[in-house]
Amino acid sequence: MFGVNVSHFLLSAKIKHHIEKYHEQYPVATEMLDTCLYVDDVISGADDISQALKILKDADTIMKNASIKLREWNSNDPVLMKT
C-alpha cells in the first residue's frame, strides 16, 4: 500500500483538530497537549495534585473523543500515582 508514511501526519492532524475543538472547554489541557506532546509522549507538570488530576482527566476526555487512549502515566508524587 502506498502512502503509509502519511499516518504520522494524519495522527498529528487529528490531535490538532481536537486541541482546537476543545480549546475553550479545556484550556489548560489543550495547551499542555499542544506544547508538551512529542510523537506519543507528553512531558508536563502541575503546581499541585488537584491541578494535575484535572489536567489528566481533561486530556483523557479530549483524546478519548479522538479515539486515542492515553496510558502509562507516571509521576514523582506517590499520592498522584495511587489515584
Side-chain angles (χ1 to χ4, degrees):
M1 177 177 184
F2 293 104
V4 174
N5 290 337
V6 270
S7 64
H8 298 290
F9 169 77
L10 294 175
L11 176 62
S12 294
K14 184 176 189 176
I15 292 170
K16 274 288 193 201
H17 168 76
H18 280 79
I19 287 171
E20 291 170 8
K21 181 178 178 179
Y22 291 102
H23 180 70
E24 287 187 32
Q25 189 174 358
Y26 305 111
V28 177
T30 54
E31 179 68 21
M32 184 266 307
L33 289 170
D34 195 31
T35 59
C36 301
L37 184 68
Y38 178 75
V39 186
D40 62 351
D41 293 325
V42 174
I43 300 173
S44 185
D47 293 331
D48 56 49
I49 294 172
S50 62
Q51 184 184 25
L53 286 172
K54 173 141 177 51
I55 293 169
L56 182 142
K57 179 181 168 250
D58 293 349
D60 192 45
T61 298
I62 293 164
M63 299 308 271
K64 276 184 183 174
N65 289 333
S67 299
I68 299 170
K69 182 179 179 180
L70 296 178
R71 56 188 183 92
E72 296 184 26
W73 295 93
N74 200 355
S75 175
N76 62 348
D77 188 295
V79 175
L80 187 58
M81 287 304 294
K82 286 181 183 179
T83 57

